[in-house]
Amino acid sequence: MHIAFDHLVHLTERPEQVKMAFEQWGLVAIHGGRHPSWGTYNALCYVEHLRYIEWIGIADIQTARTCGNPLITQLVADRQEGSGFSQFAFRTNDIEAVAAQLKSKGFAPVGPLPGSRERDDGKQLTWSMLFIEDDTDGAFRYPFFIQWGDRDDVRMNELAPLMRHPIGSVSLSSISLYTLDLQRTVNGYRRLFDLPEPDVERDEAGAYAELAVGGIAIRFYEADRRHPSTRPFSCRLVGVQKPRRIEIEGATYIISGS
């Protein structure tokens, strides 16, 4: 399937405060908008290749609990553990074809489901989201897929100013997450994206396997008693002049030159 990495979802009680903190660190960030039918609102930080980080908060918990969107259902569940990264999405220009490919591989797609919000300038943004029915027994979580209402070239023209940051030419290069069953997770992602078998390596955080998907690296770590979670826990932003490590609202951002 032809896909590209789209965005990383960071659940937080205060999206506007995380936005302000990133601005103080030299990154351009904006208020996004509200999703009335989901009970959520967001702020955003765009980086190169139309990738972005979404800081999302729940404004109306009752609406969030009953809206039926799988992403929001996941956010409500993750909220019990606290703030932090929750999900990530890959972009496609043919979401119906992706759904058909998922079915052909034995997955059960959920959707496409519609989404929308109004920008500050009054423009209505629209998109479609596609999820995978969970068959993992809680061992790991699949990403979701998104198709925007506007073509990539239109979005690139509109969003280009937001991808220029005072601290450098910033790109999101990798995401790290925990899994309760490393081999099962690798097998699931290999089947999903038609990937080769990776080597299992080890660093200071433990044993991991890394897969290249949609222009970024996804690094899976075996969870342990200290980290009994399947959520992403860190991401790497590259292309900045002054490296730093940022820990904010339950998530770690590793910012480096390369």
Side-chain angles (χ1 to χ4, degrees):
M1 63 183 70
H2 178 69
I3 52 96
F5 183 81
D6 193 71
H7 70 281
L8 174 62
V9 180
H10 183 172
L11 172 66
T12 169
E13 295 293 323
R14 301 173 293 273
E16 60 282 355
Q17 291 192 16
V18 182
K19 168 190 173 292
M20 291 173 59
F22 270 68
E23 289 172 330
Q24 292 171 358
W25 292 320
L27 288 136
V28 174
I30 62 168
H31 290 295
R34 293 189 174 271
H35 316 106
S37 61
W38 297 348
T40 58
Y41 70 108
N42 64 9
L44 310 166
C45 178
Y46 287 92
V47 296
E48 291 187 346
H49 311 299
L50 288 175
R51 300 169 190 167
Y52 69 96
I53 298 160
E54 177 184 24
W55 302 300
I56 189 166
I58 296 175
D60 182 344
I61 187 62
Q62 187 58 35
T63 297
R65 284 174 175 155
T66 58
C67 71
N69 182 286
L71 172 61
I72 309 306
T73 300
Q74 183 73 70
L75 294 176
V76 170
D78 285 346
R79 193 175 189 232
Q80 304 307 307
E81 296 179 6
S83 296
F85 294 130
S86 177
Q87 258 294 5
F88 51 97
F90 291 93
R91 185 171 66 255
T92 177
N93 60 6
D94 192 342
I95 205 162
E96 295 289 353
V98 172
Q101 290 178 53
L102 291 177
K103 287 182 181 178
S104 72
K105 294 178 180 182
F107 294 101
V110 179
L113 305 175
S116 66
R117 71 171 174 85
E118 185 175 305
R119 283 195 327 207
D120 287 344
D121 63 5
K123 178 175 179 175
Q124 189 77 8
L125 297 181
T126 62
W127 60 86
S128 296
M129 307 167 76
L130 181 69
F131 300 89
I132 300 172
E133 188 172 296
D134 187 9
D135 62 357
T136 71
D137 301 320
F140 63 96
R141 59 183 64 178
Y142 291 113
F144 66 97
F145 301 90
I146 189 167
Q147 179 174 350
W148 291 94
D150 289 330
R151 300 190 316 269
D152 280 1
D153 60 336
V154 174
R155 297 181 65 236
M156 184 67 76
N157 286 334
E158 290 189 347
L159 297 172
L162 302 179
M163 291 185 276
R164 292 194 285 267
H165 301 274
I167 63 171
S169 299
V170 183
S171 182
L172 192 153
S173 67
S174 68
I175 297 172
S176 295
L177 60 155
Y178 290 115
T179 167
L180 302 183
D181 187 329
L182 184 56
Q183 191 57 57
R184 184 176 179 184
T185 303
V186 168
N187 290 343
Y189 272 72
R190 288 185 62 215
R191 180 165 68 103
L192 179 59
F193 294 111
D194 299 317
L195 299 172
E197 180 77 42
D199 293 329
V200 175
E201 302 183 41
R202 182 174 291 274
D203 62 13
E204 66 278 1
Y208 71 88
E210 184 173 290
L211 297 172
V213 185
I216 70 162
I218 305 177
R219 184 172 287 192
F220 301 97
Y221 284 85
E222 189 84 64
D224 56 28
R225 292 179 182 177
R226 296 172 301 160
H227 307 107
S229 173
T230 59
R231 295 170 68 170
F233 63 90
S234 74
C235 73
R236 182 177 294 274
L237 299 171
V238 299
V240 305
Q241 299 161 1
K242 294 182 179 180
R244 68 191 307 160
R245 180 186 180 95
I246 297 170
E247 296 187 7
I248 186 169
E249 287 292 300
T252 299
Y253 294 83
I254 300 169
I255 301 177
S256 62
S258 61

